[in-house]
Amino acid sequence: MSDVSETAVVSRPSTTMKRHKSVRKNSRRIYSPYQDNQPGQSDEEDKEDEHADSNDPEQMFQNIQFQKEIIANIRTRAWPMRRKLKALKQAREIVLKYEGRLTRTRGYQAAGADLLKKVSRLLYNIVVLFIPWEMRIKKIESHFGSGVASYFIFLRWLFGINIVLTIMTGAFIVIPELLAGEPFGTTRSKTIPKEHLASAQDLDTIWSLGGYLQYSVLFYGYYSPVRKIGSAGYRLPLAYFLVGMAVFAYSFIILLRKMAKNSRLSLASASDENFTFCWRVFCAWDYLIGNPEAAESKGAAIVNNIREAIVEEQEKKKDTSLAVLISLRILANILVLLSLAGSIYIIYFVVDRSQKLEQEKPELTLWEKNEVSVVVSLITMIAPSAFELVAQLEMYHPRTSLRFQLARVLVLYLGNLYSLIIALLDKVNSMSLASAAAAVSSPAEIEAFLIWTPYKPCD
């Protein structure tokens, strides 16, 4: 009976030792084992224990846990009393010695992690101070939401692009011309005419980019036409061409990166068409809004979006005759084309009329002086509103109608610009012909001059 009990007593610690075999192995690698080596242990394992690293926190923690288990189960070990006392003493010494170190190590690690977070946060706040208008945009975002703040973020992005383009142009074109080019007043393109010298510093002249600004590096005509400038032989025409290509490439790459970065958002927004009402009801609120007035505006905007979605669904279910719909769209396009042609003709007519008035009258009134700019501004303001009225006849989807509206406005602006340029070139050419004809004395010479002089617009 005593043999059976002794076997049971021995089996319990042996089972515990088998369960923590890996832990004991790590503890032996850190600290010299105080247990007697079993016959099955090999010499190679003892050699590995001598070269173990004792500074690993994980191994140190496992060894402390093992020593605490030994202290708790020392009575159940089938060891002599002398060996139990020695093992208990060594275990307590190891726990007292290395538990404090482990606690301090982990405390240092936690304190270091907290300090690193605080330093990174402080550095981020310092960096934010140097970002233009970052704090103001954050304040706007906290009051009016991210939708309003995104507009100002976009403007800041455009401002940054313009700064980079300005640096490129100034470093490779403007500064070389100022340092190595011909100085002001040495050539015809860099000299103010005597008749304009008296009013070169007037406010209205400078406001219209005339006077000294007209004969400066702001305009293309100021730069030297020679191939190389300065003693170093800097090729300014080549630099002008390459900088233009670099500006185009930089703008294209920046836009491409921005589009790629926002591609996920665009793909997510494209799914709105499949679950229109779910997105508007459950995902339309902006949780960054902190101003009551902005919250009311956002709520009203969500209600209006839901109403528009309901109207769109009702429009899809409407049945309209195909012949009537095609006729209305053809009529709308005809009206748009007539509006574009009329705006081009009006601009050309106004420029020609101003030329005739300058030739007939020695002094013009205020309306006659600003007639061209006022007419162009009125066309630019009235025509887009007329296009919106015409678009109601087409009965397109609101998104499709918006795309057609933008395309028509773009064609309007380009048509007005090119018609104004052509009219001004004709005006300059007629003035040059009149000044050249005035220098000819006899009528026969005038007729010969008009016949043999080719049409050549002024540069």
Side-chain angles (χ1 to χ4, degrees):
M1 186 68 182
S2 61
D3 295 337
V4 175
S5 61
E6 184 178 355
T7 305
V9 171
V10 175
S11 63
R12 284 196 296 270
S14 63
T15 304
T16 307
M17 292 175 67
K18 288 180 181 179
R19 188 170 65 248
H20 299 284
K21 185 177 180 181
S22 62
V23 178
R24 288 160 56 191
K25 185 183 294 184
N26 292 330
S27 65
R28 287 197 306 270
R29 291 178 179 177
I30 302 173
Y31 314 103
S32 60
Y34 49 82
Q35 296 89 352
D36 296 337
N37 292 334
Q38 300 296 331
Q41 292 178 345
S42 63
D43 297 336
E44 295 179 358
E45 189 174 307
D46 295 336
K47 293 179 180 179
E48 292 178 359
D49 296 341
E50 296 177 357
H51 301 284
D53 185 12
S54 62
N55 293 324
D56 188 2
E58 186 64 27
Q59 293 181 1
M60 193 182 302
F61 176 75
Q62 291 179 1
N63 183 69
I64 292 173
Q65 292 297 113
F66 177 69
Q67 305 300 332
K68 289 182 178 180
E69 186 177 353
I70 290 176
I71 295 172
N73 300 325
I74 193 67
R75 294 181 180 181
T76 61
R77 307 247 178 204
W79 293 343
M81 185 58 67
R82 182 179 297 176
R83 184 177 174 185
K84 285 184 178 181
L85 293 175
K86 183 179 179 182
L88 182 62
K89 181 179 179 182
Q90 291 180 355
R92 287 178 176 175
E93 289 177 356
I94 292 174
V95 171
L96 291 175
K97 182 178 180 181
Y98 294 101
E99 188 175 20
R101 181 190 298 180
L102 180 63
T103 305
R104 287 195 301 272
T105 302
R106 292 194 172 184
Y108 292 154
Q109 291 178 353
D114 294 339
L115 181 61
L116 182 61
K117 289 181 181 179
K118 291 181 180 179
V119 170
S120 60
R121 184 66 179 175
L122 180 62
L123 293 176
Y124 175 76
N125 292 333
I126 294 174
V127 171
V128 165
L129 295 177
F130 293 96
I131 299 177
W133 308 296
E134 180 69 15
M135 301 304 296
R136 293 180 179 272
I137 292 176
K138 290 294 183 182
K139 188 175 181 180
I140 292 173
E141 187 176 10
S142 64
H143 284 79
F144 303 101
S146 58
V148 178
S150 62
Y151 173 73
F152 296 98
I153 294 173
F154 174 71
L155 292 181
R156 184 180 62 184
W157 180 70
L158 291 179
F159 180 73
I161 292 178
N162 290 330
I163 288 178
V164 175
L165 299 183
T166 303
I167 292 174
M168 293 171 61
T169 306
F172 296 101
I173 296 178
V174 177
I175 294 179
E177 173 65 27
L178 292 176
L179 296 178
E182 297 177 355
F184 178 79
T186 55
T187 61
R188 182 180 178 182
S189 61
K190 299 182 179 182
T191 305
I192 301 178
K194 295 181 179 180
E195 59 271 15
H196 301 302
L197 190 60
S199 60
Q201 296 181 351
D202 294 345
L203 180 59
D204 56 348
T205 304
I206 296 176
W207 184 260
S208 59
L209 298 179
Y212 285 98
L213 294 180
Q214 183 177 357
Y215 296 89
S216 64
V217 292
L218 296 177
F219 291 89
Y220 176 75
Y222 181 84
Y223 294 91
S224 303
V226 295
R227 186 176 182 182
K228 297 181 180 180
I229 60 174
S231 58
Y234 186 78
R235 296 188 177 184
L236 187 62
L238 180 61
Y240 202 98
F241 174 75
L242 293 179
V243 167
M245 297 297 295
V247 166
F248 176 78
Y250 175 78
S251 304
F252 177 76
I253 293 172
I254 289 296
L255 290 175
L256 192 63
R257 287 185 59 186
K258 196 68 173 180
M259 292 172 62
K261 185 178 180 180
N262 297 333
S263 60
R264 292 183 179 180
L265 297 177
S266 62
L267 291 176
S269 62
S271 62
D272 295 354
E273 299 178 359
N274 299 327
F275 309 100
T276 305
F277 296 100
C278 292
W279 282 101
R280 282 174 169 79
V281 172
F282 298 106
C283 303
W285 184 254
D286 191 353
Y287 289 94
L288 292 176
I289 295 176
N291 192 346
E293 297 180 358
E296 293 179 2
S297 301
K298 185 64 177 180
I302 294 174
V303 173
N304 291 331
N305 290 333
I306 295 175
R307 289 176 180 174
E308 291 177 359
I310 295 173
V311 172
E312 289 180 5
E313 292 295 329
Q314 292 177 353
E315 290 291 334
K316 292 179 181 178
K317 297 179 181 180
K318 283 185 178 181
D319 294 331
T320 307
S321 175
L322 183 61
V324 175
L325 184 61
I326 292 175
S327 301
L328 290 175
R329 291 179 179 178
I330 291 174
L331 177 61
N333 289 318
I334 291 174
L335 293 176
V336 170
L337 291 176
L338 290 176
S339 301
L340 294 174
S343 64
I344 293 173
Y345 174 76
I346 290 174
I347 291 175
Y348 191 88
F349 173 77
V350 169
V351 174
D352 184 65
R353 181 173 178 274
S354 65
Q355 177 186 355
K356 293 180 180 178
L357 290 175
E358 290 177 358
Q359 294 176 356
E360 294 175 357
K361 294 184 178 181
E363 185 176 356
L364 301 178
T365 60
L366 180 62
W367 165 255
E368 293 172 347
K369 289 180 180 179
N370 302 293
E371 184 178 9
V372 177
S373 59
V374 171
V375 170
V376 173
S377 301
L378 288 176
I379 292 175
T380 305
M381 292 172 58
I382 296 174
S385 301
F387 291 162
E388 290 182 1
L389 295 176
V390 172
Q392 295 180 0
L393 299 174
E394 297 176 322
M395 298 182 183
Y396 281 121
H397 189 273
R399 190 175 295 105
T400 306
S401 178
L402 178 61
R403 292 172 181 172
F404 275 104
Q405 176 73 7
L406 293 176
R408 288 165 181 169
V409 171
L410 178 62
V411 173
L412 173 70
Y413 288 169
L414 291 177
N416 293 343
L417 177 63
Y418 284 111
S419 63
L420 181 61
I421 291 174
I422 293 172
L424 292 176
L425 289 177
D426 289 341
K427 179 180 178 180
V428 171
N429 184 69
S430 62
M431 292 173 63
S432 61
L433 290 176
S435 61
V440 182
S441 57
S442 62
E445 292 177 350
I446 295 175
E447 184 178 0
F449 174 79
L450 294 175
I451 292 175
W452 294 105
T453 302
Y455 176 79
K456 182 180 179 182
C458 183
D459 293 336

